[in-house]
Amino acid sequence: MVLLEVENLKTYYYTLRGPVRAVDNVSFELEKGRVLGIAGESGCGKSTLAWSILGLVPPPGRIVSGSIVLDGIDIVKLSEDELRSKIRWKKVSMIFQGAMNSLNPVYTAGAQIEEVLIYHGRMSKADARRRVYELLESVGLDRSLANRYPHELSGGQKQRVVIAMALALEPDIVIADEPTTALDVVVQAQILNLMKKLQREKGISIILITHDLSVIAEMADEVAIMYAGKIVEYGSSEQIFYKPRHPYTHLLMKAVPKLKGVKESLIYIPGQPPDLMNPPKGCRFKPRCPWAMDICDKDPEEFNLEEGRRVACWLEKTSGGLKVKS
C-alpha cells in the first residue's frame, strides 16, 4: 500500500541573487512498512526534501510546486495550523541531523519528550511521564535518564532520546536525517539495529537520508540517488548496489572500499557539485561525467526500466545503459 506519494516537487530558496533550486522536480513513492534510502553528496537537496515533507522548509525557502500526498491528503495545501495539529509527529516525525544540536540544553530529556506528548498528544502530565518511561525503555535506555540533561548523556544516548521523541505518537513515517552522524562504529551499529527492530515491531515506514552507502545497504528496501536537486536513479537496494545504471551512482559505488573480493583502487569523482542557483545546462552531472556526450546538453529523459526502476541518463537511449562492471 502506497503511504506517501511525492510528485514533481520543487522547493527553492529565494535569495537576492536568485533562486537556489534545492529540490527540483522530485517524484517518488513510499509503501507502508518499507525503508527508502536517499543518498548523495552534501548539498544535493536531501535534507530540504525531508523538511518539505514536514512543511518545515526554513526561510527564505518555500515549496514552489508539486504535491506531497499522505493518506490521500496533499500536505502542500495545508495551513501551518493544520500541519501542526494533523501531520507533524502524528503521521510524520523526524530524527533531525545531529542529536547533540537538536536537544534543548536547558531541559531534561524527559521534559522534551513530554512536550511532544502534551502538545500534540493532548496527554496529562502524569500520563505523559508514564509514556516517556515506556519510550525510553523501548529504545534501550533506563527510565532514570528522563531526569538527565543532554550534557549528561553520551552521543548514543542522545540519539536514542531523539528516536524516542520521534516515536512518541506512533507516526506512520519516520524521517531519519543522518541518524548515525558523529557516532562511533559500535554505536552506529546499535542505532541501526534499534531502528530495524522498531520498524519490524511497529510496522513504520522510514525515509533514511545519508551519504553513507553502507548504512543504506544495511537498512533500505528501495534507494533514491540524488544529485543537484534531482533523483537521477531509483530502484531496489539490490538493483542499485549490484548494477547501477547512472554514471553518478556507479562512481559513488566505486568510491567505497570493498571488504571482500578483489582489491581495487578507489575512484573519486573530480570537481564539485554544481551551483544550484545557476546549474549547468542539460544534465547537471555532465561537467563531472566521464561518459558525457553532446546530447547531455539537453535535460535527460527519465527512462522506466524493469520492476519500477528508473534512471535519468541519455546513455539508456544512445547505448542501452552504462556498460561497466559494477
Side-chain angles (χ1 to χ4, degrees):
M1 182 183 74
V2 175
L3 186 60
L4 174 70
E5 186 175 3
V6 177
E7 187 171 353
N8 302 326
L9 180 66
K10 293 184 179 182
T11 303
Y12 295 172
Y13 293 94
Y14 287 87
T15 71
L16 294 176
R17 294 191 296 124
V20 178
R21 300 167 177 83
V23 174
D24 202 4
N25 206 31
V26 165
S27 300
F28 66 89
E29 293 179 350
L30 177 65
E31 295 184 3
K32 185 174 178 58
R34 304 286 283 182
V35 178
L36 171 65
I38 301 179
E41 292 172 284
S42 296
C44 70
K46 304 186 299 295
S47 294
T48 297
L49 176 59
W51 297 333
S52 299
I53 294 171
L54 278 169
L56 286 175
V57 181
R62 68 172 183 265
I63 295 174
V64 176
S65 62
S67 61
I68 304 171
V69 179
L70 173 61
D71 275 347
I73 302 171
D74 189 351
I75 297 173
V76 175
K77 297 179 179 179
L78 298 182
S79 66
E80 176 62 24
D81 287 341
E82 289 173 319
L83 284 168
R84 188 181 296 126
S85 62
K86 298 178 181 179
I87 302 300
R88 292 181 196 139
W89 260 249
K90 291 184 178 180
K91 291 187 175 293
V92 186
S93 65
M94 188 166 178
I95 303 168
F96 290 96
Q97 184 174 353
M100 298 177 188
N101 299 323
S102 58
L103 292 174
N104 192 320
V106 300
Y107 290 99
T108 63
Q112 296 185 60
I113 302 175
E114 278 181 8
E115 184 178 20
V116 175
L117 296 166
I118 294 170
Y119 186 85
H120 292 281
R122 306 298 181 187
M123 288 186 181
S124 67
K125 189 168 181 63
D127 289 340
R129 176 55 58 154
R130 282 191 290 269
R131 177 64 174 149
V132 166
Y133 293 150
E134 292 174 3
L135 287 165
L136 290 176
E137 289 171 353
S138 73
V139 296
L141 294 175
D142 189 88
R143 61 172 56 191
S144 63
L145 267 70
N147 297 318
R148 295 189 190 177
Y149 290 89
H151 73 270
E152 299 178 286
L153 306 177
S154 69
Q157 289 172 331
K158 290 177 186 176
Q159 193 66 287
R160 288 170 187 259
V161 169
V162 173
I163 292 173
M165 192 182 303
L167 297 173
L169 299 181
E170 299 185 350
D172 298 319
I173 300 171
V174 172
I175 302 172
D177 189 2
E178 302 281 4
T180 57
T181 296
L183 302 177
D184 63 62
V185 290
V186 174
V187 178
Q188 280 188 30
Q190 292 173 353
I191 295 299
L192 293 178
N193 288 333
L194 171 62
M195 291 177 64
K196 286 191 288 186
K197 175 176 176 286
L198 293 170
Q199 186 228 353
R200 187 169 57 249
E201 292 177 351
K202 300 181 180 296
I204 59 176
S205 302
I206 296 176
I207 298 176
L208 177 62
I209 297 172
T210 182
H211 60 263
D212 189 336
L213 293 175
S214 62
V215 173
I216 293 283
E218 178 77 13
M219 290 283 297
D221 299 305
E222 285 79 36
V223 180
I225 302 295
M226 284 193 74
Y227 183 78
K230 294 180 176 288
I231 292 180
V232 296
E233 186 167 3
Y234 182 94
S236 69
S237 183
E238 291 79 10
Q239 290 169 336
I240 297 295
F241 279 91
Y242 287 110
K243 194 176 180 182
R245 299 290 289 262
H246 194 281
Y248 179 62
T249 310
H250 168 72
L251 293 173
L252 281 181
M253 300 299 174
K254 286 296 184 181
V256 179
K258 293 182 179 180
L259 298 179
K260 298 180 180 179
V262 179
K263 292 184 179 179
E264 300 175 352
S265 298
L266 293 180
I267 295 175
Y268 75 98
I269 306 175
Q272 298 289 333
D275 177 6
L276 294 182
M277 192 178 297
N278 186 27
K281 179 183 176 183
C283 176
R284 295 183 177 182
F285 189 58
K286 181 184 176 182
R288 307 172 71 189
C289 180
W291 294 272
M293 305 170 288
D294 290 341
I295 196 175
C296 298
D297 287 332
K298 294 170 57 181
D299 286 333
E301 295 178 12
E302 189 171 74
F303 296 92
N304 294 311
L305 309 177
E306 74 281 356
E307 299 175 7
R309 189 177 190 185
R310 62 182 195 265
V311 60
C313 180
W314 285 117
L315 284 172
E316 294 295 330
K317 182 175 183 178
T318 59
S319 55
L322 190 62
K323 308 295 186 186
V324 293
K325 287 186 178 182
S326 60

